[in-house]
Amino acid sequence: MHSSKSTRFAPDRGLTTRMVSTMFFIGLLYVVFVGVLLALLRGAWPLILLCAGGMFVAQFWFSDRIAAFSMGAREVTPEEAPELHGAVDRLCALADMPKPRVAIADSDVPNAFATGRNRKNALVCATTGLLRRLEPEELEGVLAHELSHVAHRDVAVMTIASFLGVLAGVITRVGLWGGFRRVGGRDSNTAVLVVLIPLISAVVYAISFLLTRLLSRYRELSADRAGALLTGRPSALAAALTKITGEMARIPTRDLRQAEPFNAFYFAPAFSKESFNRLLSSHPTLEQRLEQLGRISARLGRP
């Protein structure tokens, strides 16, 4: 889980430290969570281990396909999207990194995302709404941001980190729907499990959610910084951020609601963070991002 030593993206020790710390605490939480389930449901341990292991493998190995499918991404050839491929080609040559697969999502919500458990099977996707609204330099700024996620490997870490929350959420729902009651009958022990397991699952979900949100906000600032330094045009990325945030207000709420579950993977959140508690936000505020880009511009001596 090193940073980006093999590419020209600026390494970020702070990001690496946070990824390692998040993985440690998520792993510890996972072990404790499964241990508690095994202690409470002694007779069901094969099923618990099978479900936990199966969900982890599915989440890790198929995360890029699941995310791409969920967000409507369709892989495109250079002939189908020459401008998009050309921008990715230039940035990958500049960063000295392998070219990921390139996709387009048919959505008017102006956004982009990167997914994949490593650089070899990474995918970078832009929506039709983004391609239609941004100038070439602005688009390159957004793509540089997304490619830095691939170079820093934080996409894979976010995928793994989110697994425990997904598992806990599933078990919580099963418990709340009375699944454990139906399985175990109506004795007092079953009644305790019906209350205890959803409660423990909810606590685990809340902790893992906060840990991944904390990492997500930092990784977005890190990607802004790395992308701006790679292209040498922080003002283009700032212009893209401002334009995208402004355009979100014109998108139908229904479309934004469809995009909201994937906020942590998108370049910009579907809803402005002013409407949410910062602790629960997947992204830093627009002001924080623009302020950082302004500092980089001053350091580079560019407007």
Side-chain angles (χ1 to χ4, degrees), residues 82-185:
E83 294 86 2
L84 180 58
H85 268 274
V88 173
D89 283 332
R90 287 190 295 275
L91 290 168
C92 287
L94 188 61
D96 191 23
M97 67 180 288
K99 182 182 178 181
R101 289 174 293 140
V102 178
I104 292 178
D106 187 13
S107 170
D108 194 43
V109 178
N111 235 318
F113 68 90
T115 184
R117 65 183 183 275
N118 55 44
R119 295 175 191 170
K120 291 183 179 179
N121 64 13
L123 177 142
V124 172
C125 177
T127 65
T128 52
L130 185 82
L131 297 174
R132 188 167 57 251
R133 289 174 172 88
L134 296 190
E135 299 298 324
E137 283 193 355
E138 296 169 346
L139 178 61
E140 285 200 3
V142 173
L143 293 174
H145 169 107
E146 294 303 330
L147 288 172
S148 78
H149 283 315
V150 176
H152 287 143
R153 297 182 172 89
D154 56 81
V155 174
V157 172
M158 282 295 293
T159 300
I160 298 170
S162 65
F163 160 72
L164 184 57
V166 172
L167 177 62
V170 169
I171 294 177
T172 300
R173 291 187 186 95
V174 170
L176 292 175
W177 289 342
F180 292 114
R181 184 186 294 111
R182 288 195 294 272
V183 170

Side-chain angles (χ1 to χ4, degrees), residues 108-264:
D108 194 43
V109 178
N111 235 318
F113 68 90
T115 184
R117 65 183 183 275
N118 55 44
R119 295 175 191 170
K120 291 183 179 179
N121 64 13
L123 177 142
V124 172
C125 177
T127 65
T128 52
L130 185 82
L131 297 174
R132 188 167 57 251
R133 289 174 172 88
L134 296 190
E135 299 298 324
E137 283 193 355
E138 296 169 346
L139 178 61
E140 285 200 3
V142 173
L143 293 174
H145 169 107
E146 294 303 330
L147 288 172
S148 78
H149 283 315
V150 176
H152 287 143
R153 297 182 172 89
D154 56 81
V155 174
V157 172
M158 282 295 293
T159 300
I160 298 170
S162 65
F163 160 72
L164 184 57
V166 172
L167 177 62
V170 169
I171 294 177
T172 300
R173 291 187 186 95
V174 170
L176 292 175
W177 289 342
F180 292 114
R181 184 186 294 111
R182 288 195 294 272
V183 170
R186 299 181 181 276
D187 58 26
S188 59
N189 288 337
T190 301
V192 171
L193 292 180
V194 167
V195 174
L196 198 56
I197 289 178
L199 181 62
I200 293 170
S201 299
V203 171
V204 169
Y205 175 80
I207 295 173
S208 62
F209 178 86
L210 291 176
L211 285 172
T212 53
R213 282 295 188 265
L214 192 62
L215 175 61
S216 179
R217 289 193 295 275
Y218 186 89
R219 84 183 190 113
E220 292 302 327
L221 286 173
S222 176
D224 283 348
R225 186 164 54 247
L229 290 173
L230 180 75
T231 62
R233 293 192 297 267
S235 58
L237 182 55
L241 267 170
T242 304
K243 185 179 291 186
I244 289 170
T245 304
E247 289 291 331
M248 287 292 187
R250 301 173 187 169
I251 304 297
T253 302
R254 177 179 57 83
D255 294 341
L256 294 179
R257 290 289 180 196
Q258 291 174 350
E260 189 184 5
F262 308 104
N263 269 349

